[in-house]
Amino acid sequence: MFSLFSKKAKRKKQLSRSHIKSLWEIVLADEKIHDDELSLLYEIASGINISKKEVQKIKEEKDNIPFLVPDTNEQRFEFIYNFTRMMMVDDDIDYREMQICKTYAIELGFKKALVDELVKSISSNLSAGNDLKETYNRLSFVIQKNQLKN
């Protein structure tokens, strides 16, 4: 039983580090680090039990941290939701940030043909003030039926 718990805890930690690494790539894409981006990065990290110190360590080690795909549609959506938030937070969506976001969306299992629409829909929901849960609920039917493989 302890071994199973240990494996789950290890996987959760690896997913968290992978998520922060991916967010770092979006932050660094436009070659400018904005205070709003760092604040959001630290907020997301705190929500998944990653300290500021570890966030900086992940930045230094990002080339050695693999991208991991979460196990559930909800977790995959949370990743793309946070990628989109990061891309928008400084009010300057750089094409390189967008490209990274789209690349990760495809790696997460979203169909390439629907990635633009998904990112646009998430952006619209964010602009309307909708949080993760509300945005997921609004888009869940489309995600379940068309965009994610199980």
Side-chain angles (χ1 to χ4, degrees):
M1 183 67 164
F2 181 73
S3 177
L4 180 61
F5 175 76
S6 175
K7 286 180 183 179
K8 284 184 178 183
K10 183 177 180 182
R11 168 83 173 151
K12 185 175 179 180
K13 184 68 166 183
Q14 290 171 331
L15 277 171
S16 296
R17 289 178 51 83
S18 173
H19 191 49
I20 297 302
K21 171 245 184 171
S22 303
L23 289 166
W24 263 123
E25 290 182 357
I26 294 169
V27 168
L28 298 170
D30 65 0
E31 300 173 357
K32 298 175 270 185
I33 299 176
H34 298 273
D35 290 341
D36 291 341
E37 291 172 326
L38 283 179
S39 293
L40 180 58
L41 184 62
Y42 292 137
E43 174 190 320
I44 292 168
S46 175
I48 56 176
N49 298 316
I50 301 268
S51 68
K52 284 185 178 183
K53 183 178 178 180
E54 189 167 356
V55 168
Q56 291 302 318
K57 186 177 178 186
I58 291 168
K59 178 185 177 193
E60 295 164 12
E61 299 173 352
K62 67 180 176 49
D63 293 337
N64 298 320
I65 299 171
F67 180 72
L68 301 176
V69 176
D71 302 320
T72 68
N73 287 350
E74 291 85 3
Q75 290 172 317
R76 292 179 201 148
F77 183 80
E78 182 175 358
F79 272 38
I80 192 64
Y81 176 86
N82 284 334
F83 297 158
T84 305
R85 285 175 67 198
M86 187 59 73
M87 187 176 59
M88 294 176 61
V89 72
D90 64 0
D91 294 323
D92 179 26
I93 299 174
D94 185 276
Y95 74 94
R96 295 168 288 191
E97 294 171 328
M98 179 66 79
Q99 190 58 46
I100 291 169
C101 191
K102 288 178 182 181
T103 298
Y104 277 127
I106 292 165
E107 288 186 38
L108 286 167
F110 294 92
K111 292 180 182 175
K112 186 175 182 176
L114 299 171
V115 167
D116 286 333
E117 186 60 35
L118 177 63
V119 172
K120 182 179 172 184
S121 295
I122 293 171
S123 297
S124 295
N125 274 273
L126 285 166
S127 295
N130 298 331
D131 64 10
L132 171 65
K133 185 176 181 177
E134 187 172 356
T135 301
Y136 182 78
N137 287 338
R138 288 175 177 262
L139 301 176
S140 64
F141 180 76
V142 174
I143 291 165
Q144 296 291 333
K145 293 293 181 186
N146 298 310
Q147 295 173 311
L148 278 176
K149 50 192 170 193
N150 288 320

